[in-house]
Amino acid sequence: MSAWLPYIGAPLDHGPYATFLAAFAISPGIPAVLALVLERRVMKGRREFVAFFYGDPLLALAAAIGVALSGSSPPSSVTGLVTGPVPWVVMSGWLLFGFWQWKAELREGMYTPAQAWAPTKIWHQTVVYPVLGYLVTAPVVAGMATPKGVGGTSAKVLAIGCVLIWVLANIHDRRHPKLGHPPYDWRRLRPAPQPWPLSSTTLRADHRVSELKAG
């Protein structure tokens, strides 16, 4: 029986490569597919938040390192933190945070309602927070609790560094908004026609970037 959470933790049973691919698929992999198929766009770094476009792959790397350090099961010292009811509580907390953030960003004018209901935004708020949260947190915590071993210290430093870069990228993104999610029309299953009204912080930021590029 798996030592991790059922279903969600399944990739962790199959080693670091499977863990990396699963975490990368959650973000940015599936969002890139949603953007291409439903939002009719190719994701580009200049229009995406740094923490998402560059930071989430680093989280996938941190998760893979954690599994490489801990093996197929977490050390007994942290079993209660990465299995059983605790992770479900934490994941539920992340999901509730996603809903709270969704509402807060609308209230603050960061996104318009049409942006807030874009396919990539829905995925981010309802799946990335709880699922990627576990796929990264559980193996990283397990890896940090594993005895050092050969090369263990360097691996732990690298994993922590990946997470810290992601944190710093989030701080940067708060000060440098990007488009993130285009206004979406679910009736036509395509983005709202351009030009988009500059009625949100992210749309205005994207407009400025487009003007600079054109200039």
Side-chain angles (χ1 to χ4, degrees):
M1 189 174 72
S2 173
W4 309 96
L5 286 184
Y7 305 112
I8 293 175
L12 307 179
D13 287 321
H14 299 284
Y17 295 109
T19 298
F20 176 85
L21 290 175
F24 189 92
I26 296 298
S27 184
I30 292 176
V33 174
L34 292 174
L36 182 64
V37 175
L38 293 178
E39 297 177 359
R40 316 291 178 90
R41 66 189 179 103
V42 175
M43 285 187 167
K44 297 179 180 179
R46 68 180 180 84
R47 304 188 86 179
E48 305 299 330
F49 287 105
V50 175
F52 160 76
F53 199 78
Y54 301 104
D56 284 1
L58 289 178
L59 291 183
L61 177 59
I65 293 171
V67 170
L69 287 168
S70 66
S72 60
S73 61
S76 58
S77 60
V78 296
T79 299
L81 297 177
V82 297
T83 64
V86 173
W88 292 111
V89 172
V90 173
M91 290 170 62
S92 297
W94 275 114
L95 184 59
L96 289 174
F97 172 79
F99 288 135
W100 171 84
Q101 186 188 57
W102 222 343
K103 183 176 181 180
E105 288 174 341
L106 272 170
R107 185 175 61 249
E108 295 166 2
M110 185 170 183
Y111 297 110
T112 65
Q115 287 180 278
W117 288 104
T120 48
K121 182 62 173 173
I122 295 171
W123 179 265
H124 185 268
Q125 301 304 120
T126 63
V127 179
V128 173
Y129 274 133
V131 178
L132 185 63
Y134 179 76
L135 282 178
V136 173
T137 303
V140 169
V141 169
M144 294 303 106
T146 303
K148 293 180 180 178
V150 179
T153 300
S154 298
K156 290 180 180 182
V157 170
L158 179 58
I160 293 173
C162 289
V163 175
L164 286 177
I165 291 173
W166 176 82
V167 170
L168 292 174
N170 272 283
I171 295 173
H172 174 274
D173 286 340
R174 294 301 98 185
R175 301 174 180 177
H176 302 85
K178 300 287 186 67
L179 173 65
H181 313 281
Y184 197 73
D185 185 347
W186 278 98
R187 293 173 299 176
R188 299 180 179 180
L189 293 180
R190 62 175 59 241
Q194 298 193 47
W196 296 322
L198 305 182
S199 49
S200 73
T201 302
T202 51
L203 287 175
R204 289 191 292 273
D206 185 65
H207 181 69
R208 287 194 296 269
V209 170
S210 300
E211 283 188 328
L212 289 173
K213 184 179 179 182

